[in-house]
Amino acid sequence: MTKRLHLWVCLLLPFCFYSQVVINEVDADTPGLDVLEIIELKSETPYFALDGYILVLFNGGSGSGTLSYYTIDLNGLVTDGNGIVLLGNSQVNPSPSRLFPQNTVQNGPDAIAIYQDVIDTFPIDTPATTTNLIDALIYGNNATQATALQNALNIFVQTNENANGLAASQSIQRKNDGTYEVKAPTPRANNDGSGIVYNGIEVITSTSLVNEGESVTISFETDTPVAETLNFTLNLNNGTFTTADFTGNLSLTIPMGSSSASTQIQVTNDGINDGDEEMSIVVGSLPEGYITLNNSVIVRVLDVNFQESDWGTPMVPTFGNVNSTAPAGYYDSLEGLSGAALKQAVQDIIADPNVVRAHSYGDVVEILFNADQNPANNNQVWLMYVERPQTKIDYQTGASIVGFWNREHIWPQSRGGFSGGTSSFPDGIDIWLPTNADDILTGHSDAHHLRAEDGQENSSRGNRDYGLSDYNGPNGNVGSWKGDVARSLFYMAVRYNGLNLVNGNPPDNTMGQMGDLASLLTWNETDPSDDFEMNRNNYIYTWQMNRNPFIDYPELANYIFGSNFGDQWFAPLSLEDNNFSDVKVYPIPAKDEINISGIENDANVTIFSLEGVQVYQSKINGFTQLNLNLASGMYLMNIETDNQKLTKKIIIK
């Protein structure tokens, strides 16, 4: 029987007889501030792994209909010998195997459902569905019916936790016949009193993050004092993290009558940068009657021997430290051209079938490890939208996007027509295929518009257009990514036939178009190309043998998409050929004062907000210290002299 057919049968017949995993007990309405909430699951067979399952909590009130309000990833959980696994608040006793915040489970009328699915399928406010549904419980603490939820989940029985007038002291419990009753809670035990009564062992670490050369204390606490001396061992090895990376005692004893033991592990600093790693604390086999509540606890080990680059992050940018590696004459064919002829000449360079190479989507991971590497720590990548670094080992390999980063498209796949266009198998820089301007499928793996991104934030962006009227970044971001996005979209709209940038905010399912062109042109100027972008342009060139010309020459965008369309293009002087080769602006970030050195002639200094509002203007000559009184944030400083202009991005603390 196929999985789809099996699921269809499960939906038509009672869950209690056909579900591998069911909701066994729920306590939503507990005394006081709801700090003793539990959700208990039970599997048909003991020691059942819950990888690939999620728990979704749905609103059932009249105002919210059937929308989800909380989702729990069940990956890594395994039921015990009774088939039970307990989730709950931190104050629940005995301890749950997975915690969720207090006052999370609403009193109802609501629903709790188990799905065989991935967590990002159910962002907040996702409607309830029977697709991939395994089991569900609709409940409340009064007679109000969640009719919309009943219809959405195809379940027409609702259990009242307050049936006995004791909602705060009783829970909803599943009986052996699949129906539910309300009685005193029985967390982590069979509801009928049968089965094994386990003494759970909880793993507690003094820290979840440790630097090489530091130590971490690992403690173990049982639910109740042990009746006999308990001996057990630990294994901390995990991938590249081995016994060579630490010292400490891995054999533990909890004496009879006691309920705790601990050991201190010293992490070795080997003086070598082998990247951040993870220690996985795994308790060895235990005697009958004991279970480990949270086995495989992870402690992140940060390598202190990381390397730094001599250029800044997008949040603390530098300019002029990284030079373009474009070959001599790479852009010579553009000189003197205008309009459509100029755009075609750019495409002839960056889509040249005799030169440009197409790589696989699998190769993009390695490309981003280098192209998006955090300049302040080479063991991290820089996450563009959320404007922060994250360790490379947090690359998403499983179903969950929470806490992980991934390779994400700036031009959405479904709006470019290149979904799944290349192989997910990495085959390296020396294996490639020819490509051309009509080869739209190559856009799937074109690294010039793929960036390291926080999984949840990228999911929130979805297929939306960029701009003030649509996606403008997460709350509180300073916009250090906006010019990068604009220049990537300019590149895509020239590199591939059939892709176009338009004004306004077209529907998010519009194929081949992205807006908002006016905002993108503004972003190109207010967030100028910096050393971080130039470095990634240089690195991607070594793989694809093409460059993003809008990083090398940001002004080019106005000649192809903007106000200079129709004007002849002539490349501006390089930094080495103009009067600004020795100009320094420091410190960045600054507080009240910024120094400018290297100016040999009279110059005008103008500072603009990212919205384009002029906030400062002055004339300078020689070394100058500017006394600024600006609000915290990012600004653009223009220095103009002898018909030349230098733009610097500055940050005020």
Side-chain angles (χ1 to χ4, degrees):
M1 184 182 293
T2 66
K3 177 179 175 182
R4 186 184 301 273
L5 180 59
H6 177 69
L7 177 59
W8 179 78
V9 173
C10 287
L11 294 175
L12 292 180
L13 297 175
F15 289 115
C16 55
F17 297 115
Y18 293 91
S19 295
Q20 177 65 52
V21 186
V22 296
I23 297 169
N24 196 51
E25 183 173 358
V26 171
D27 197 354
D29 193 349
T30 69
L33 298 175
D34 280 351
V35 297
L36 299 175
E37 300 166 325
I38 63 170
I39 303 173
E40 185 181 85
L41 309 180
K42 186 175 178 66
S43 61
E44 183 178 328
T45 57
Y47 308 112
F48 182 76
L50 295 178
D51 294 341
Y53 292 85
I54 59 174
L55 203 61
V56 184
L57 282 59
F58 292 105
N59 278 308
S62 58
S64 51
T66 70
L67 303 182
S68 64
Y69 68 89
Y70 197 76
T71 305
I72 302 173
D73 194 339
L74 301 179
N75 278 343
L77 292 177
V78 179
T79 62
D80 62 22
N82 294 320
I84 287 175
V85 66
L86 178 66
L87 298 80
N89 302 152
S90 60
Q91 295 184 37
V92 171
N93 184 26
S95 299
S97 294
R98 183 148 297 170
L99 299 176
F100 53 77
Q102 64 185 41
N103 200 26
T104 291
V105 185
Q106 298 176 168
N107 294 341
D110 291 316
I112 299 173
I114 305 172
Y115 287 90
Q116 195 162 15
D117 213 326
V118 294
I119 193 169
D120 53 326
T121 304
F122 286 91
I124 293 176
D125 292 337
T126 300
T129 176
T130 57
T131 302
N132 296 329
L133 180 66
I134 301 301
D135 187 35
L137 169 68
I138 300 177
Y139 69 95
N141 64 359
N142 55 50
T144 303
Q145 295 292 300
T147 305
L149 269 178
Q150 293 175 10
N151 292 324
L153 296 173
N154 198 30
I155 296 174
F156 301 99
V157 176
Q158 180 169 315
T159 305
N160 184 359
E161 187 178 359
N162 198 37
N164 301 325
L166 299 170
S169 59
Q170 293 188 334
S171 66
I172 300 170
Q173 299 179 36
R174 185 177 182 273
K175 298 194 294 185
N176 292 333
D177 63 3
T179 63
Y180 287 90
E181 63 181 337
V182 178
K183 61 180 184 178
T186 60
R188 227 177 66 209
N190 284 338
N191 297 334
D192 62 3
S194 65
I196 306 167
V197 177
Y198 284 97
N199 194 351
I201 300 178
E202 183 178 9
V203 181
I204 303 169
T205 61
S206 59
T207 180
S208 61
L209 197 69
V210 61
N211 293 313
E212 285 185 339
E214 297 177 345
S215 63
V216 56
T217 300
I218 308 174
S219 302
F220 304 86
E221 294 187 2
T222 58
D223 291 334
T224 61
V226 299
E228 297 180 354
T229 297
L230 176 64
N231 298 305
F232 58 95
T233 60
L234 305 180
N235 188 328
L236 306 182
N237 292 5
N238 184 33
T240 59
F241 188 83
T242 67
T243 54
D245 295 307
F246 67 90
T247 58
N249 179 31
L250 301 183
S251 296
L252 281 295
T253 297
I254 299 180
M256 182 177 63
S258 181
S259 58
S260 64
S262 65
T263 184
Q264 188 173 67
I265 301 299
Q266 180 72 37
V267 180
T268 304
N269 180 3
D270 56 12
I272 301 171
N273 181 25
D274 21 44
D276 297 340
E277 298 171 309
E278 290 181 328
M279 173 196 306
S280 179
I281 305 169
V282 177
V283 177
S285 59
L286 295 168
E288 183 68 21
Y290 290 93
I291 58 169
T292 305
L293 301 176
N294 55 341
N295 220 359
S296 302
V297 173
I298 296 295
V299 174
R300 176 65 48 80
V301 178
L302 301 182
D303 198 317
V304 297
N305 304 290
F306 59 84
Q307 299 172 358
E308 298 180 65
S309 303
D310 60 357
W311 61 89
T313 70
M315 285 291 285
V316 188
T318 57
F319 302 86
N321 292 351
V322 180
N323 296 319
S324 169
T325 58
Y330 188 74
Y331 293 112
D332 283 358
S333 60
L334 308 183
E335 294 295 296
L337 299 182
S338 63
L342 176 61
K343 180 179 179 181
Q344 183 60 56
V346 174
Q347 186 186 71
D348 290 342
I349 296 172
I350 64 177
D352 185 349
N354 299 310
V355 177
V356 180
R357 300 175 177 181
H359 289 275
S360 74
Y361 191 52
D363 286 323
V364 172
V365 179
E366 181 179 347
I367 294 174
L368 295 185
F369 273 179
N370 293 275
D372 287 1
Q373 185 169 282
N374 178 18
N377 185 332
N378 71 318
N379 295 326
Q380 302 170 337
V381 289
W382 186 264
L383 306 186
M384 186 175 69
Y385 299 134
V386 294
E387 301 177 317
R388 63 170 174 79
Q390 187 157 348
T391 182
K392 291 179 179 178
I393 61 176
D394 280 338
Y395 176 74
Q396 179 189 340
T397 57
S400 176
I401 62 174
V402 180
F404 297 98
W405 68 273
N406 209 333
R407 56 200 161 170
E408 303 293 356
H409 297 83
I410 291 177
W411 194 300
Q413 297 187 64
S414 61
R415 296 184 66 174
F418 41 73
S419 296
T422 62
S423 169
S424 294
F425 179 78
D427 44 25
I429 194 171
D430 295 325
I431 298 178
W432 49 273
L433 293 172
T435 182
N436 56 62
D438 293 319
D439 182 16
I440 190 65
L441 293 180
T442 299
H444 179 246
S445 60
D446 194 320
H448 283 301
H449 85 120
L450 280 150
R451 295 293 289 260
E453 301 291 1
D454 174 78
Q456 289 175 286
E457 181 57 33
N458 190 74
S459 178
S460 297
R461 183 187 77 84
N463 290 344
R464 287 189 285 167
D465 292 289
Y466 298 90
L468 298 179
S469 60
D470 208 332
Y471 184 75
N472 196 36
N475 291 335
N477 81 101
V478 301
S480 65
W481 52 273
K482 291 182 175 180
D484 303 49
V485 161
R487 288 179 282 275
S488 290
L489 293 178
F490 296 151
Y491 163 87
M492 292 293 287
V494 176
R495 166 67 174 87
Y496 296 99
N497 291 331
L499 300 185
N500 297 284
L501 297 175
V502 298
N503 284 311
N505 185 20
D508 292 347
N509 60 355
T510 305
M511 179 66 73
Q513 290 186 357
M514 288 288 289
D516 156 11
L517 178 57
S519 290
L520 297 176
L521 289 167
T522 299
W523 288 359
N524 181 48
E525 295 192 12
T526 57
D527 176 33
S529 176
D530 55 24
D531 288 331
F532 184 90
E533 246 188 305
M534 185 63 75
N535 176 71
R536 85 182 309 272
N537 201 17
N538 291 344
Y539 183 76
I540 293 169
Y541 177 67
T542 66
W543 281 75
Q544 298 184 183
M545 301 306 293
N546 73 347
R547 301 182 64 81
N548 183 340
F550 302 99
I551 295 175
D552 292 330
Y553 293 114
E555 307 91 338
L556 191 57
N558 285 328
Y559 287 77
I560 294 178
F561 300 102
S563 59
N564 293 112
F565 184 85
D567 295 345
Q568 286 183 298
W569 165 261
F570 295 98
L573 292 173
S574 69
L575 188 64
E576 289 78 12
D577 295 332
N578 64 36
N579 293 333
F580 294 131
S581 57
D582 296 321
V583 172
K584 305 294 182 185
V585 178
Y586 61 95
I588 298 177
K591 187 174 182 182
D592 298 316
E593 298 175 342
I594 284 186
N595 301 316
I596 303 176
S597 64
I599 297 292
E600 298 178 355
N601 303 309
D602 291 338
N604 290 316
V605 175
T606 313
I607 300 177
F608 296 87
S609 70
L610 292 185
E611 289 74 32
V613 178
Q614 181 177 313
V615 296
Y616 182 88
Q617 194 276 332
S618 178
K619 292 184 179 295
I620 64 172
N621 191 319
F623 175 82
T624 304
Q625 186 174 78
L626 304 181
N627 295 308
L628 304 176
N629 183 23
L630 300 176
S632 299
M634 185 174 291
Y635 297 85
L636 296 178
M637 173 185 289
N638 290 336
I639 305 174
E640 296 184 68
T641 181
D642 296 335
N643 298 318
Q644 298 179 52
K645 181 172 75 172
L646 175 67
T647 300
K648 293 281 190 180
K649 194 186 309 183
I650 63 174
I651 296 176
I652 303 298
K653 292 190 292 187

